[in-house]
Amino acid sequence: DPNLAAYIVERLQLRSGSEPCPLRRMPQVLAAPPGRVALEWRVDCAQGGPREIRSVLLHEVAPGHLHFARVRAPGATPLERVLTTAEPGWRLESGEGDEADGSEGSSIWSYLVIGVEHIGTGPDHLAFVLALILIAARFGEVATVITGFTIAHSITLAVAALGLAKPESQEIGALVGLSIVLVAAENAFLLGGRPRSIPTVIVLGLGAMVLLSALGIGGIGSLTLAGMTLFTLCYFGLLGLAERPARLRVAISFAFGLVHGFGFAGVLVEIALPRDRLVPALLGFNLGVEVGQIGVVLLAWPLLSLAERRLPATAHRFATEVATAGLCGLGLYWLAERAGGG
């Protein structure tokens, strides 16, 4: 598409001094996995002067977009850097003898910031965390479920980033949506005195998705959806028998933490870092995710506690039910969108 080529070369540039290096060859399409586009083009830069990679790709429609730039020079170790809206440029060499910032790639601190931003701009992960703590009776419960979630997603984040497992991103996305639906529905189930209608509706809905998938409608296999349906049925069966549901909440937070970890890992998997660069990136990104997650909990939990103390019991229950319904609706939307191939 010539429009795509023109868009890309205008917004992703190698610059010499203050000017973009002239094109020697327009972008050519390379082989790429389904659903992706790979392009290659060449430029000619004037001798001498500073070099800079600059990217403002997609910033007009997605200000949180991250661009991973990697530079390979003869006889030098490949370097990478994360380009963002705040820092869209990477100076590679000065040409004037002074030190350039191309001597280093992105640091642990850079990846920590990316992890924080990933949580801050990931509404599905935030919705899951809020659903987990919405009806917690005390801070000890909050700390326990968040710890389980943290341990689990740290495990799968490392497993995926190190290339030990690579689940399908569409199925992971659908499971993230299901995790929000189940935890929000669990809240409604417990608030409403454990009515059978809530798990029945969810199981029937998932069963309908299994049927549609068997008919060739949707982007996820019927076997995967059948597994999701069976998991839901078993979980609500256990929940109906549990005398202390908070303990079961820890198990579900750990189980779905494993799923969310694969979702987090997508950012690092995409850039395929060399192993010596992957460890600091993994450490920094995971720390950033934890910092962002803890920040959300420390902000939300006092507000939830304050509302419980200050609002009349009827008003607090109504507000909790509305929040539960909203979170469940979001989860249903993400589940249907991702399972349907959207």
Side-chain angles (χ1 to χ4, degrees):
D1 185 339
N3 293 324
L4 176 62
Y7 172 85
I8 289 177
V9 298
E10 179 183 350
R11 288 166 175 79
L12 175 57
Q13 299 174 342
L14 178 61
R15 302 173 70 90
S16 179
S18 60
E19 299 295 329
C21 298
L23 280 170
R24 182 200 299 180
R25 189 180 72 191
M26 287 294 290
Q28 307 291 315
V29 178
L30 304 179
R36 300 184 180 276
V37 176
L39 300 172
E40 176 186 80
W41 65 98
R42 294 179 180 273
V43 296
D44 281 322
C45 292
Q47 295 295 321
R51 299 281 194 275
E52 181 187 37
I53 292 177
R54 184 173 182 83
S55 173
V56 291
L57 275 175
L58 305 179
H59 286 181
E60 68 274 19
V61 293
H65 174 70
L66 304 176
H67 190 97
F68 294 88
R70 179 176 299 159
V71 172
R72 295 185 181 91
T77 302
L79 298 173
E80 91 290 335
R81 178 156 302 188
V82 181
L83 306 180
T84 65
T85 306
E87 296 185 14
W90 178 14
R91 188 181 178 192
L92 302 174
E93 59 183 59
S94 70
E96 303 293 337
D98 55 323
E99 184 179 355
D101 65 1
S103 59
E104 295 183 359
S106 291
S107 62
I108 289 180
W109 171 255
S110 300
Y111 285 106
L112 187 147
V113 172
I114 293 170
V116 174
E117 292 176 345
H118 188 66
I119 281 288
T121 57
D124 48 359
H125 300 300
L126 290 178
F128 180 73
V129 171
L130 291 175
L132 280 177
I133 68 175
L134 186 60
I135 63 169
R138 56 187 184 277
F139 187 73
E141 289 183 23
V142 173
T144 303
V145 296
I146 294 300
T147 298
F149 180 62
T150 297
I151 293 172
H153 74 62
S154 296
I155 292 171
T156 46
L157 172 60
V159 166
L162 292 171
L164 302 178
K166 191 177 182 181
E168 292 293 329
S169 60
Q170 186 175 354
E171 295 181 354
I172 291 298
L175 283 168
V176 168
L178 178 66
S179 72
I180 300 165
V181 172
L182 283 193
V183 175
E186 178 188 349
N187 293 343
F189 183 72
L190 296 175
L191 288 170
R194 309 189 186 199
R196 293 184 178 181
S197 58
I198 291 177
T200 299
V201 168
I202 295 177
V203 169
L204 288 176
L206 288 170
M209 293 175 68
V210 173
L211 179 60
L212 290 173
S213 179
L215 295 174
I217 301 173
I220 294 182
S222 56
L223 185 60
T224 299
L225 290 168
M228 293 163 65
T229 305
L230 181 61
F231 180 88
T232 301
L233 184 63
C234 292
Y235 181 69
F236 274 102
L238 289 172
L239 190 62
L241 298 174
E243 295 183 2
R244 301 182 64 179
R247 291 184 175 180
L248 197 56
R249 176 63 65 95
V250 177
I252 199 70
S253 68
F254 184 88
F256 280 126
L258 296 173
V259 173
H260 282 250
F262 283 122
F264 292 143
V267 175
L268 295 182
V269 170
E270 292 294 332
I271 57 178
L273 293 173
R275 185 59 60 94
D276 61 332
R277 294 291 302 151
L278 182 58
V279 173
L282 178 59
L283 178 60
F285 183 77
N286 196 46
L287 287 174
V289 167
E290 304 315 323
V291 169
Q293 179 178 284
I294 291 171
V296 170
V297 172
L298 292 180
L299 178 64
W301 174 249
L303 295 176
L304 293 173
S305 299
L306 181 64
E308 184 178 11
R309 292 195 304 269
R310 296 296 180 88
L311 291 177
T314 303
H316 178 259
R317 180 184 177 87
F318 177 74
T320 304
E321 290 174 345
V322 169
T324 295
L327 291 169
C328 190
L330 283 173
L332 286 170
Y333 168 74
W334 285 317
L335 172 59
E337 179 195 39
R338 295 163 184 178

